[in-house]
Amino acid sequence: MVNLPDFSLAAGPTMASARTMNALGSQLLYHYDPAFLEIFRSTQEKAQAFFGTKSDMLLMQGEGILGLEGAARSLITDGTPVLNLVQGVYGKGMGYWITGFGGVLHEIEVQYNDAVSPAAVDAYLTEHPEIEVVTVVHSETPSGTISDLSKIGPIVKKHGAITLVDSLSSVGGVDFKPDEWMLDVCISGGQKCLGGPVGVTMASVSADAWEKILANPHAPRDSYLSLIDWKLKWLDKGSFPYTPSVNDIVGLESALDQMLEEGVEASIARHARAAAVARAGVLGLGLELWPTSVEISGHPVTAVRLPDGIVHTDLQAHIRERFGVMLSTGQSTGNLIHLTHMGPTARGMYPVIGVSVLGQGLADLGAQVDVGAGVAAAMTELSRQGE
Ligand SMILES: *Cc1c(COP(=O)(O)O)cnc(C)c1O
């Protein structure tokens, strides 16, 4: 049998607190038990508070991909012109969906260590007034980059299009203001910065988005993928389209409680501090960040460019085997590895552990790194933050 890791510093599922794990193990309830109805409604309200939105909140009963696919199918039908912003593999994947669902695909694509500029989006939409939907990934997890939704959201609204935002790994980890930024559909999940269960999607849907979705004759209805079912059956009439994953909801509520007790702003600041420790350590080791600048480097994931001759998956396997720490790679993004600081691991010594195993792992594989200087730089930053 394979031993469990001592630390999971991979880009989700992240580690979860004991309180969340206890909640996940609570008594199974019938979904129309009044106790569960109360839990479901309050979890929905807490998810709204977590997003900081007045829009409708849907709790969909599957991992974030369910919400993303359901939302894309709801907004896109044969001939819908869609502008997809691509700065990494999740953005690219959305493009394949758009084509598959019959949409007319337009793309602005940059290198997977860069970010699409808001000005480019404005220019494209000016030239292509027919665009109805803009799809964008807020935190492109595999690349460790952030896109500037504070600017892109209002630009898209000005041009009269609807935004579909993959905010899986951004909510709770970086600044996220869906109402102020005029975002329409935002999808997040439990297992990233929230440190909660994997099997639930939180989806916020604006009034403008509902109008477009309800007018789409091919939007999923009476389907597991349907957003409309959750609106017409649950939000409007209080009956579930199908049995929710009851204990995932209980676990989600617990994770949301912990988040709201801490405060979303405090959580974002904590993720920023953890990222600063990781970045200091990476630079101290003598390595480079994968993103082209610190400004677009996300708080949830520090993506590190690996030296030539080192293969990301070999390094990952070595670190897991020798040090019991699970890191993630960027998969097809490039030769990089992640120090993830999301949820409970976005604090204190976790990023220092990441820097330590990354440095020693690279040294073991023959790369030129200064392990001591990396750890010292991370610890100096951590100590400075405590002053
Ligand atoms: C985690 C994540 C998802 C969910 O997808 P999985 O591949 O199933 O983990 C979607 N988008 C982003 C940006 C994510 O970080």
Side-chain angles (χ1 to χ4, degrees), residues 63 65 68 90 137 139 141 166 168-169 191-192:
E63 199 263 350
I65 293 292
L68 286 171
Y90 279 101
V137 181
S139 163
T141 319
D166 175 345
L168 255 290
S169 70
Q191 83 275 29
K192 303 289 166 83

Side-chain angles (χ1 to χ4, degrees), residues 106-176:
H106 297 249
E107 272 182 346
I108 301 177
E109 181 167 353
V110 295
Q111 299 271 321
Y112 290 1
N113 57 355
D114 207 345
V116 173
S117 90
V121 178
D122 199 11
Y124 200 95
L125 292 175
T126 303
E127 262 179 57
H128 296 271
E130 75 276 17
I131 301 286
E132 294 176 18
V133 178
V134 175
T135 48
V136 56
V137 181
H138 190 196
S139 163
E140 183 59 80
T141 319
S143 312
T145 57
I146 294 291
S147 58
D148 189 354
L149 291 189
S150 71
K151 299 213 175 68
I152 292 172
I155 288 169
V156 173
K157 191 55 75 174
K158 179 183 81 181
H159 288 278
I162 297 286
T163 41
L164 167 52
V165 182
D166 175 345
S167 49
L168 255 290
S169 70
S170 62
V171 191
V174 298
D175 220 14
F176 177 71

Side-chain angles (χ1 to χ4, degrees), residues 249-266:
I249 294 294
V250 176
L252 179 66
E253 180 172 37
S254 172
L256 287 166
D257 281 337
Q258 294 162 66
M259 171 62 68
L260 297 174
E261 284 162 21
E262 177 184 16
V264 180
E265 291 300 317

Side-chain angles (χ1 to χ4, degrees), residues 5 172 237:
K237 295 207 191 107

